[in-house]
Amino acid sequence: MTAVATSAVRLPTVRHYLMCPPRYFAVDYAINPWMDPSRPVDRDRAMAQWAELRDTYRRFGHTVDEIEPQPDLPDMVFAANSGTVVDGRVLGARFRAPQRAAEAEHFRRWFVEHGYRDVTMPTMVNEAEGDFAWTGRLLLAGTGFRTDPAAHAEAQEVLGVPVVSLQLTDPRYYHLDTALFVLAEETESAAAQVAYYPDAFSPGSRRVLRRLFPDAVLGDAADAECLGLNGVSDGRNVVLPKEATGLAERLADRGFEPVLVDVSELRKAGGGPKCCTMELRK
């Protein structure tokens, strides 16, 4: 099947996202291998890149809500780490690094103030969509560097969805969303589709992924090294860092529409498009 024929059946679905402007973005500490406090950060450039990402979503018809950033929380821009929402149920976050701990309460308040009635804060370390990826049927759950393995069982109980645990082994890919993202959620007529970087996972987790997603799009080292697997897809349009050209070509061959954006300033803190984007699934 050609890319043109395949693309005819790729239908986007309208999404609802929550984002946080990087008004106070900085790299003042190092909690992952990407962060170097001695490397200068251009906050204005980070704001411009973030705004372009937000506006890209809006151009595709998606709704983007914004939470107010806080001056002492430079990583709050990475909204995906502060909540997992499935069917309107919210599981909040509990950060491993003390520098980010206060972010969780700001997001909890946002959910309550915006009408979410089923909000649970975790007892175990849980970095939300950083380590949780919803496929439409299963919640893929990463562990190894941030989220506690026991948080997977807690997520299953709170969200009421089956959870599949995956072991991350490379500290550069410290969250699941740096090594895997969902291209299309499962429907009654089609299986879920994902893209992932195999070398970020343990041998057993690679076998699980092959069994669950035999038609997955596989990223290579070049894709991973620009955080190309930190993508956001609406089922057709796939937002990627602009350097992820190889992955973009493979996605286009499958009928997806890659959209390349510049997130180079935000990547200095180990973040990409998905890190900045929490999905609100009602």
Side-chain angles (χ1 to χ4, degrees):
M1 181 178 290
T2 66
V4 173
T6 304
S7 65
V9 299
R10 299 288 183 206
L11 299 177
T13 57
V14 176
R15 307 299 177 102
H16 189 179
Y17 298 132
L18 177 60
M19 300 179 70
C20 181
R23 193 172 302 137
Y24 305 107
F25 178 67
V27 179
D28 294 332
Y29 47 79
I31 58 173
N32 67 56
W34 302 82
M35 302 177 82
D36 180 357
S38 69
R39 187 181 180 191
V41 169
D42 186 333
R43 188 174 294 162
D44 290 340
R45 188 178 184 205
M47 278 290 294
Q49 292 177 355
W50 178 90
E52 178 58 26
L53 176 63
R54 177 201 59 195
D55 294 346
T56 297
Y57 295 143
R58 289 177 172 167
R59 284 195 295 271
F60 289 130
H62 306 314
T63 298
V64 180
D65 290 338
E66 296 181 25
I67 185 173
E68 188 67 20
Q70 301 299 313
D72 296 326
L73 297 173
D75 280 339
M76 196 170 165
V77 60
F78 302 125
N81 302 152
S82 289
T84 305
V85 185
V86 179
D87 294 336
R89 293 188 182 92
V90 180
L91 177 60
R94 185 182 182 93
F95 287 90
R96 184 166 296 279
Q99 294 93 332
R100 298 195 65 184
E103 296 177 36
E105 175 61 15
H106 290 289
F107 279 86
R108 186 197 68 80
R109 290 177 184 171
W110 187 93
F111 282 115
V112 172
E113 291 168 359
H114 287 78
Y116 289 82
R117 294 291 174 258
D118 194 346
V119 180
T120 301
M121 298 306 288
T123 61
M124 309 304 298
V125 171
N126 157 3
E127 299 203 354
E129 285 192 329
D131 275 320
F132 292 146
W134 176 241
T135 71
R137 182 175 66 91
L138 301 171
L139 189 70
L140 303 178
T143 190
F145 300 100
R146 296 292 185 84
T147 295
D148 193 294
H152 298 179
E154 187 173 33
Q156 179 167 282
E157 188 65 24
V158 170
L159 298 174
V161 297
V163 174
V164 174
S165 294
L166 299 169
Q167 184 75 30
L168 297 163
T169 58
D170 187 328
R172 293 173 299 172
Y173 310 115
Y174 56 95
H175 274 152
L176 181 66
D177 72 356
T178 65
L180 178 150
F181 69 105
V182 178
L183 291 165
E185 293 181 7
E186 180 175 320
T187 66
E188 292 183 359
S189 59
Q193 293 183 293
V194 305
Y196 68 94
Y197 175 50
D199 287 357
F201 296 92
S202 68
S205 293
R206 290 198 295 270
R207 291 194 295 271
V208 169
L209 287 167
R210 285 196 297 268
R211 185 180 294 269
L212 288 174
F213 308 106
D215 295 325
V217 177
L218 301 182
D220 60 20
D223 301 321
E225 287 166 4
C226 67
L227 289 179
L229 280 300
N230 194 249
V232 177
S233 174
D234 64 13
R236 176 181 174 85
N237 305 294
V238 184
V239 180
L240 303 171
K242 69 175 186 178
E243 298 87 354
T245 54
L247 180 59
E249 290 178 3
R250 291 191 290 282
L251 291 171
D253 288 342
R254 300 286 191 96
F256 293 96
E257 295 287 341
V259 181
L260 302 179
V261 297
D262 186 0
V263 289
S264 55
E265 206 63 28
L266 297 164
R267 191 164 51 233
K268 292 177 180 178
K274 176 55 191 171
C275 289
C276 296
T277 312
M278 181 196 299
E279 184 163 355
L280 305 176
R281 305 174 186 87
K282 294 187 178 180

